[in-house]
Amino acid sequence: MITIGQLAKYVGVSIKTIRVYHDKGLLPEPDRDVSGYRRYDAKDAIDLIKIRTLAEAGVPLARIRDLRSATGEEFQQALCEIDDELTASIRGLQATQVRLRELAAGHLAPLPTEVGAHLEHLARWGFTPRWVDLQRDLWILVFATYPDRAITLFHDQAETLANPALRQLFLDYDHAHDLDADDPRIDGLARRIVKATREHYGPDELPELDAASEIPALIQGTVNASSPAWQRLDTLIRAQLDA
C-alpha cells in the first residue's frame, strides 16, 4: 500500500491530477487508513497509468470515464479507434510541418503552373517587379481561400490581360503607384477602368467572391496599403461602380 504522493511519483503525474481524476469519477477513491490517509495498491497504479496514457493521447476525460465500464472487447475496440484518430492527427501535423518548412524557405503555397507562366508574362509586358510580386502574393491568398473558384477567377483575369487595351489599363494602374494621391491623372484612370469594367462584365454581372468573407477586403486593403494613389483610385472606382 502506498500514499497518494508515492503513487503520483511512480506514475508521473501530480497529486492535484490524481485528485481531479477522483472528482471526475475516473479513479475511485481508496479507503483511508487509521491516520486518515488514502492508501493505494498496484491496481490503482495500473488504472492511473491507463488514464494518464489515454489523457496524453488527447482522449476527453468523459470518454475515459465511460471506458471504465467497457468490456475487454469494447475497450480494445476503443483503443483501435483512438489509434486511428491519432494516426490522422499525426498526418495532419506532418502536413502542417511541411507547410511550416515551406514558409521558412520562402514558399507560402504552390501555385498552378499556368499562374507561374502568367506571372512571367507580366514582367515581359512591362509590369513592375513590385506588381508581379504583389500579384503572386494575392493569387496565393485567393487559391488558399477559394480553391474551388480561384482558377476561374484567374482565367478571367488572364483573358482580360490578353486584350492589349485592357492590359494597358492594368499597366497604368501599376504605374500610378508613385503618383500623388491628388494627381488628376488618377481621376481619368478611374473613369477609364469603370467604363472598361462595365463593358467587359455588363452593369449587373461584376465579378464577386463571397460577400460574407473578409478576404476580398483584405486583398484590396493589401493593395491600397502600399500606395495612397492606389487607395484613392480604389475609392473612386467603387464610388463610380456603385453610382
Side-chain angles (χ1 to χ4, degrees):
M1 303 294 289
I2 57 177
T3 65
I4 189 172
Q6 291 171 319
L7 177 65
K9 182 178 179 181
Y10 292 155
V11 177
V13 298
S14 67
I15 294 176
K16 180 179 179 181
T17 296
I18 294 177
R19 288 173 175 159
V20 169
Y21 291 163
H22 286 327
D23 293 339
K24 298 291 185 181
L26 278 74
L27 185 68
E29 289 195 48
D31 295 332
R32 296 176 182 266
D33 62 17
V34 293
S35 300
Y37 294 105
R38 296 185 182 94
R39 294 293 178 175
Y40 299 83
D41 58 20
K43 183 180 180 303
D44 294 319
I46 292 173
D47 287 344
L48 184 56
I49 290 172
K50 290 179 180 179
I51 295 169
R52 185 201 65 185
T53 302
L54 291 170
E56 289 176 347
V59 181
L61 295 184
R63 187 177 182 187
I64 297 175
R65 183 179 60 244
D66 293 340
L67 288 175
R68 282 186 48 80
S69 59
T71 64
E73 183 178 349
E74 290 171 342
F75 187 76
Q76 290 300 320
Q77 177 63 34
L79 291 182
C80 288
E81 293 173 358
I82 293 168
D83 184 78
D84 290 341
E85 292 168 3
L86 280 175
T87 299
S89 178
I90 290 169
R91 287 173 179 166
L93 289 172
Q94 288 174 333
T96 300
Q97 185 181 54
V98 169
R99 291 194 294 271
L100 285 173
R101 289 173 177 174
E102 290 176 344
L103 178 61
H107 306 297
L108 292 181
L111 286 172
T113 303
E114 58 185 314
V115 178
H118 172 74
L119 293 172
E120 293 178 0
H121 285 317
L122 293 181
R124 289 197 294 269
W125 284 333
F127 287 94
T128 63
R130 174 194 59 238
W131 180 272
V132 176
D133 290 343
L134 177 62
Q135 291 298 306
R136 178 181 294 105
D137 291 346
L138 295 183
W139 281 120
I140 287 173
L141 181 58
V142 172
F143 272 88
T145 310
Y146 300 96
D148 56 333
R149 300 184 58 193
I151 196 64
T152 300
L153 293 169
F154 166 72
H155 286 158
D156 180 74
Q157 186 185 92
E159 179 183 341
T160 299
L161 290 177
N163 182 314
L166 295 178
R167 183 166 66 242
Q168 186 59 52
L169 285 177
F170 280 88
L171 282 165
D172 292 344
Y173 196 122
D174 176 15
H175 297 149
H177 178 277
D178 298 323
L179 295 177
D180 291 334
D182 57 354
D183 192 302
R185 285 174 289 182
I186 294 177
D187 297 81
L189 178 56
R191 288 191 294 270
R192 289 162 52 208
I193 291 175
V194 169
K195 179 181 178 183
T197 300
R198 285 176 171 159
E199 290 176 349
H200 184 67
Y201 295 106
D204 301 318
E205 299 180 2
L206 299 180
E208 294 183 355
L209 292 176
D210 184 356
S213 173
E214 297 180 355
I215 296 300
L218 175 62
I219 291 174
Q220 191 59 55
T222 301
V223 174
N224 293 346
S226 64
S227 166
W230 279 358
Q231 185 174 11
R232 181 164 180 267
L233 185 56
D234 175 54
T235 301
L236 291 172
I237 292 172
R238 288 176 182 273
Q240 292 177 36
L241 287 175
D242 292 339

